[in-house]
Amino acid sequence: MKSLGKIIRSVQAFGRELSGRPSEAGPVQGPAAIGLALGGGFARGIAHVGVLKVLEEENIPIKFVAGTSVGALIGAAYCSGVTIPELEQIATRVRFKHFARWTLSRYGFASNQRMIGFLSSILKVKTFEELRIPLAVTATDFATGEGAVFHSGPLIDTVRASCAYPGMFLPVKIRGRLLVDGMLAHAVPTNPLREMGADRVLAVHLKGRWTNGEGGPRHLFDVIGQCFAIAQEMNCGVWQKAADLVLEPDVNGFKYDDFEHSKDLVRAGEAVTRAALPEIRKWLQVKPKRQKARTASLTQPAAIPAD
């Protein structure tokens, strides 16, 4: 009987090895699956390129990416295979005119249909299924206010919808739904990453003033932008709960359309990510148990997660 029991245990152990299931002896040791959440911020989103640049240089593996608005655009490009040098070059050349065409509509002042040509020229693939890194793109249902998260199908229209800033751009219709900017439902898309299976979530929050210093807003779009920035700050608790670490590049002083300062914005993303590296590297040592997320905000050269 003892021999039979030993044989059974050996067969069970061999079966676990074949199936890839962990042994009951203890937790599996290994790196955590890291998800990267890229928030919105229009031109300020160029700071995301700096974040990606440092993570790649330091060989920090990103398992999943989720993006809102400009974060969806940069996330789609990166996940499709666009390199960091290519992203930096694109950032120096892109301007508002590459996205928008002025129009007269009750839904907004501009159409972002020009993004179709822009995205077609930079994306290495055209569908979610072809991406080298799994991606989630968020948008907001204009009629119901519900969040929409896309993981499959064509990329271009979903990215356009995620970037359809209310009041500025017309909504984008997908599958019979009018969709607007994902910032309304997922200011920083951390929860979609948890649903995708991320063990650790690194969030990039582009916090900053939208108005033009003490001189006040330059035009209506500055007013709309500032209102959205206020609403975003008031709802930070919703997405921060699903984040393990929050990076806040110093984008204060940059206007929503400051595309000409792309190099400075990239450097802002680099600086905050390098400050966070000691904490991020810990995630590569031991795969964590499922537990309540810990959050830290990094705006200074420090990387200490809050209790």
Side-chain angles (χ1 to χ4, degrees):
M1 291 296 293
K2 288 183 179 180
S3 298
L4 179 59
K6 184 181 291 186
I7 292 170
I8 292 172
R9 286 192 296 272
S10 298
V11 171
Q12 288 173 336
F14 181 66
R16 280 194 297 269
E17 289 180 10
L18 287 178
S19 65
R21 287 159 49 192
S23 169
E24 296 176 1
V28 174
Q29 302 296 307
I34 300 174
L36 179 64
L38 304 176
F42 214 63
R44 290 172 173 173
I46 294 171
H48 291 322
V49 178
V51 174
L52 289 164
K53 182 177 182 179
V54 172
L55 295 175
E56 193 167 283
E57 288 176 350
E58 299 297 326
N59 296 313
I60 306 296
I62 300 301
K63 184 74 172 177
F64 310 100
V65 176
T68 287
S69 198
V70 66
L73 191 159
I74 292 175
Y78 184 72
C79 292
S80 78
V82 179
T83 66
I84 297 300
E86 288 173 330
L87 281 173
E88 290 183 291
Q89 187 177 22
I90 292 167
T92 62
R93 292 187 287 105
V94 72
R95 294 293 184 269
F96 183 76
K97 65 182 181 181
H98 293 114
F99 304 125
R101 177 183 286 112
W102 296 113
T103 186
L104 186 62
S105 169
R106 58 181 173 170
Y107 286 111
F109 290 95
S111 164
N112 69 5
Q113 277 197 315
R114 283 185 175 173
M115 287 186 70
I116 296 174
F118 174 76
L119 290 169
S120 296
S121 69
I122 67 169
L123 294 179
K124 305 289 187 180
V125 300
K126 298 300 184 284
T127 67
F128 282 87
E129 288 79 5
E130 298 172 278
L131 295 170
R132 65 186 184 92
I133 299 173
L135 172 72
V137 169
T138 70
T140 306
D141 189 305
F142 181 71
T144 66
E146 296 175 348
V149 182
F150 294 90
H151 302 93
S152 62
L155 276 168
I156 290 176
D157 276 350
T158 55
V159 173
R160 283 182 59 224
S162 189
C163 295
Y165 203 76
M168 180 183 293
F169 292 123
L170 276 58
V172 175
K173 182 175 282 189
I174 299 178
R175 301 170 193 170
R177 302 168 73 187
L178 277 181
L179 300 172
V180 294
D181 201 300
M183 284 181 67
L184 290 170
H186 295 279
V188 183
T190 54
N191 284 297
L193 288 173
R194 293 291 183 187
E195 293 167 2
M196 292 169 77
D199 298 310
R200 294 292 192 185
V201 171
L202 179 63
V204 186
H205 178 215
L206 302 173
K207 179 181 179 180
R209 288 170 54 88
W210 281 81
T211 54
N212 189 22
E214 296 181 358
R218 297 167 299 163
H219 41 58
L220 175 61
F221 297 138
D222 273 352
V223 175
I224 295 173
Q226 180 67 359
C227 291
F228 272 91
I230 292 169
Q232 184 178 5
E233 293 309 307
M234 296 297 290
N235 290 285
C236 275
V238 176
W239 58 263
Q240 282 184 343
K241 291 178 181 178
D244 293 286
L245 199 60
V246 180
L247 305 184
E248 291 186 340
D250 185 3
V251 294
N252 277 301
F254 293 98
K255 299 184 289 293
Y256 81 94
D257 55 354
D258 256 349
F259 294 102
E260 64 270 22
H261 293 109
S262 62
K263 291 183 179 179
D264 294 327
L265 286 162
V266 170
R267 282 194 287 267
E270 289 183 72
V272 74
T273 310
R274 291 200 184 282
L277 283 174
E279 183 64 26
I280 297 171
R281 285 198 182 101
K282 293 178 183 177
W283 301 350
L284 305 181
Q285 298 169 8
V286 179
K287 185 173 182 178
K289 295 179 180 179
R290 290 284 181 181
Q291 57 186 3
K292 186 177 179 181
R294 301 166 70 198
T295 304
S297 177
L298 287 174
T299 53
Q300 302 296 329
I304 305 173
D307 293 329

